[in-house]
């Protein structure tokens, strides 16, 4: 694009120079007027050409800027897709809290491990918030068709974990101390969590290759 601009400027310069020389050399003759008119028309055409190039350059710059911002937003989202360990700890902490509450016959809020669980819960909530925020910022630069490239969203990941937690809490509410079943729920949710994060990473990587190059 820079070469095109240089070429356009050179066209303007030489057109003006030729127009000036033509005007001085042939201004007194009928032929001179004709040449001057032709050169003047050429100068006008060169001016229009430069204007079109300028508009094209502005459009290309805007497109390049948007492309760059889109890439930054996608990379920022991609950097948030490594939270499966935080989610796993949260799930297993929930499982432990439920089982301890059932075994000890105590309300979940009165157990010794409540502080530990709250820390893990806060870590997961914070990660989900950051991931959701990065997703929202990224989708501002994407069209509806581009968003459809992603099979799942961060909200899906968060909802799957929340659903598993609710299932485990029902065991506590029902007084069901079937540790094996509670473990199966937690284990299944953990595997789904890892698969969901892998899916998001895969979709993001392929999107960068296919759309952004």
């Amino acid at each position: 694009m820079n070469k095109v601009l240089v070429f356009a400027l050179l066209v303007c310069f030489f057109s003006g120079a030729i127009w000036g020389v033509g005007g001085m050399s042939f201004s007194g003759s009928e032929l001179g007027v004709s040449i001057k008119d032709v050169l003047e028309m050429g100068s006008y055409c060169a001016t229009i050409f430069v204007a079109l190039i300028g508009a094209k350059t502005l459009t290309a710059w805007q497109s390049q800027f948007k492309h760059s911002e889109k890439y930054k937003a996608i990379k920022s989202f991609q950097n948030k897709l490594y939270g499966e360990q935080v989610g796993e700890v949260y799930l297993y902490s929930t499982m432990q809290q439920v089982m301890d509450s059932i075994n000890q016959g105590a309300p979940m809020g009165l157990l010794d491990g409540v502080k530990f669980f709250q820390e893990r819960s806060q870590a997961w909530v914070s990660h989900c918030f950051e991931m959701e925020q990065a997703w929202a910022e990224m989708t501002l630069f994407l069209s509806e068709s581009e968003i459809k490239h992603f099979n799942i969203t961060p909200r899906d990941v968060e909802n799957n974990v929340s659903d598993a937690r609710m299932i485990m809490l029902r065991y506590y509410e029902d007084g069901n101390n079937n540790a094996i079943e509670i473990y199966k729920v937690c284990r299944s949710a953990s595997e789904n969590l890892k698969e969901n994060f892998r899916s998001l990473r895969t979709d993001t990587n392929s999107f960068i290759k296919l759309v952004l190059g």
Side-chain angles (χ1 to χ4, degrees), residues 67-183:
H67 182 89
S68 175
E69 292 301 309
K70 177 190 289 188
Y71 181 77
K72 290 179 181 178
I74 294 174
K75 293 298 292 183
S76 177
F77 173 68
Q78 189 179 42
N79 292 335
K80 304 298 182 182
L81 300 181
Y82 296 90
E84 55 263 57
Q85 290 185 346
V86 179
E88 275 192 290
V89 170
Y90 172 66
L91 285 169
Y92 280 101
S93 297
T94 299
M95 180 190 72
Q96 189 64 51
Q97 187 184 37
V98 168
M99 295 177 66
D100 288 347
S101 297
I102 293 174
N103 293 333
Q104 299 179 27
M108 296 183 67
L110 298 179
L111 296 177
D112 293 337
V114 168
K115 183 177 180 180
F116 171 83
F117 171 76
Q118 289 177 341
E119 292 174 351
R120 272 52 186 178
S121 175
Q122 183 60 44
W124 172 243
V125 171
S126 296
H127 183 78
C128 289
F129 174 79
E130 293 176 358
M131 190 165 56
E132 287 270 7
Q133 188 177 39
W135 169 264
E137 292 174 354
M138 179 185 71
T139 53
L140 289 175
F141 297 96
L142 306 185
S143 64
E144 291 185 7
S145 61
E146 289 175 330
I147 294 175
K148 290 180 180 179
H149 180 84
F150 296 85
N151 294 309
I152 61 173
T153 69
R155 181 57 60 88
D156 296 325
V157 176
E158 186 177 359
N159 287 342
N160 288 340
V161 172
S162 296
D163 291 344
R165 171 173 164 76
M166 293 302 298
I167 293 174
M168 287 188 283
L169 288 178
R170 290 196 193 101
Y171 280 91
Y172 166 75
E173 294 171 355
D174 297 339
N176 187 344
N177 61 351
N178 191 327
I180 294 178
E181 292 299 320
I182 297 175
Y183 174 78

